[in-house]
Amino acid sequence: MAKIAFLGAGRMGVGMASRLLAAGHEVKVYNRSPEKAAPLVNAGAMLAATARTAAEGADAIIAMVADDDASRTVWLGETGALAARTAPGAFAIECSTLSHTWVLELAKLAAAQGFRYLDAPVTGLPSAAAAGELILFIGAASVDLDAARPLLAPLCADIVHFGDPGAGTAYKLIQNLMGSIQIASTAEALRTAELSGLDLPTVVAMLSRSGAASPTVIRLAHLMLTGNHTDDIAFTAALRRKDTRVGVDLAESLSAPTSLGRAALHLFDDLIRSGHADLNESKIIDLLRE
């Protein structure tokens, strides 16, 4: 049993921290909105007033938050986790999808404080987090990953090591940018089908069986077909826009082509400006209908 600080109790964080509790670990949780951590507290977690107090004495600190700003808040400053007195050689594990620039900076800051740092962004929906079926994309020294595997095991079905700190995030941003492009193209395809007078249920059924199908295309096409963008939200428009932005930023920093990524970003920017940030990312179909 390890002492684990878990920072973030959103849709993904609750499922992940629950897996650690079920595995028998002692979990202290911090969330900026404490009421969101209630399911974890009810399951046996201890609620901390700050990220630093959550991390005091921890063997590992795991963060799953929304963006760079939230990550900086939980890690840095007098109340941040890096200021805590932890077990010798404690792990700092950042599972959030963040900008590559910030992840590299955080890796250096954590190492300077004596932490073994892993960037470990995940792929999978909240249901996969709750079931321990995520896939972790790791950027870390091999020796640190090997030491952390027993802690990570309850969270995931697979661990893929891409290289040193920052490499896991680089891959995650590439994958998510592809996802954003697929979502935008799916919305355009369905809108074109509507304007062509085609039956949308038939179109969605055939797209799901076609060579153009992917898990993202299939999932979003069905969500766009139902038109329910407010219930059981797995991924908001705001989070999709953020992932698209940091993916484009990474590509541009490498002088890589970004024409398709920028086109998708433009659409998600418009969706946010239209006031739909908190709705499902599938809401983009209605933007094209307008």
Side-chain angles (χ1 to χ4, degrees), residues 113-172:
Q113 293 295 106
F115 288 93
R116 292 183 282 181
Y117 179 82
L118 293 81
D119 69 293
V122 310
T123 188
L125 297 173
S127 58
E133 295 176 351
L134 299 172
I135 299 175
L136 305 188
F137 303 140
I138 304 294
S142 296
V143 64
D144 292 340
L145 172 57
D146 289 343
R149 284 182 185 274
L151 295 176
L152 300 174
L155 303 177
C156 60
D158 197 9
I159 293 173
V160 184
H161 188 202
F162 282 92
D164 292 333
T169 289
Y171 174 77
K172 178 65 189 296

Side-chain angles (χ1 to χ4, degrees), residues 75-138:
W75 288 109
L76 304 184
E78 293 184 0
T79 61
L82 292 185
R85 293 169 297 179
T86 58
F91 295 101
I93 304 172
E94 179 54 271
C95 293
S96 317
T97 301
L98 307 170
S99 73
H100 192 245
T101 301
W102 164 236
V103 164
L104 293 179
E105 181 183 348
L106 177 58
K108 291 179 180 178
L109 292 170
Q113 293 295 106
F115 288 93
R116 292 183 282 181
Y117 179 82
L118 293 81
D119 69 293
V122 310
T123 188
L125 297 173
S127 58
E133 295 176 351
L134 299 172
I135 299 175
L136 305 188
F137 303 140
I138 304 294

Side-chain angles (χ1 to χ4, degrees), residues 24-273:
H25 296 300
E26 179 183 308
V27 178
K28 290 183 181 179
V29 61
Y30 167 74
N31 195 68
R32 287 179 294 178
S33 302
E35 64 276 6
K36 291 186 177 180
L40 296 174
V41 174
N42 292 337
M46 291 170 281
L47 182 64
T50 67
R52 179 176 180 173
T53 55
E56 289 290 338
D59 300 302
I61 306 164
I62 301 175
M64 174 55 88
V65 295
D67 52 29
D68 283 16
D69 288 342
S71 179
R72 288 179 184 275
T73 297
V74 298
W75 288 109
L76 304 184
E78 293 184 0
T79 61
L82 292 185
R85 293 169 297 179
T86 58
F91 295 101
I93 304 172
E94 179 54 271
C95 293
S96 317
T97 301
L98 307 170
S99 73
H100 192 245
T101 301
W102 164 236
V103 164
L104 293 179
E105 181 183 348
L106 177 58
K108 291 179 180 178
L109 292 170
Q113 293 295 106
F115 288 93
R116 292 183 282 181
Y117 179 82
L118 293 81
D119 69 293
V122 310
T123 188
L125 297 173
S127 58
E133 295 176 351
L134 299 172
I135 299 175
L136 305 188
F137 303 140
I138 304 294
S142 296
V143 64
D144 292 340
L145 172 57
D146 289 343
R149 284 182 185 274
L151 295 176
L152 300 174
L155 303 177
C156 60
D158 197 9
I159 293 173
V160 184
H161 188 202
F162 282 92
D164 292 333
T169 289
Y171 174 77
K172 178 65 189 296
L173 299 186
I174 292 166
Q175 176 177 293
N176 277 23
L177 185 56
M178 281 191 67
S180 298
I181 293 166
Q182 288 179 325
I183 292 167
S185 65
T186 300
E188 287 190 349
L190 295 190
R191 182 56 180 149
T192 302
E194 284 182 329
L195 294 173
S196 299
L198 301 180
D199 177 68
L200 276 193
T202 302
V203 170
V204 169
M206 289 310 302
L207 278 177
S208 299
R209 297 167 54 193
S210 73
S214 71
T216 294
V217 169
I218 294 170
R219 182 173 68 87
L220 268 296
H222 282 87
L223 287 172
M224 292 175 192
L225 177 63
T226 66
N228 186 346
H229 311 297
T230 59
D231 298 334
D232 298 322
I233 297 174
F235 209 74
T236 65
L239 288 175
R240 176 56 62 182
R241 188 269 177 194
K242 179 265 298 183
D243 282 7
T244 311
R245 172 74 268 173
V246 293
V248 168
D249 286 346
L250 172 64
E252 289 183 338
S253 74
L254 300 170
S255 299
T258 59
S259 56
L260 295 177
R262 281 202 156 276
L265 179 60
H266 175 73
L267 287 175
F268 285 107
D269 279 344
D270 285 349
L271 187 59
I272 301 305
R273 281 193 289 266

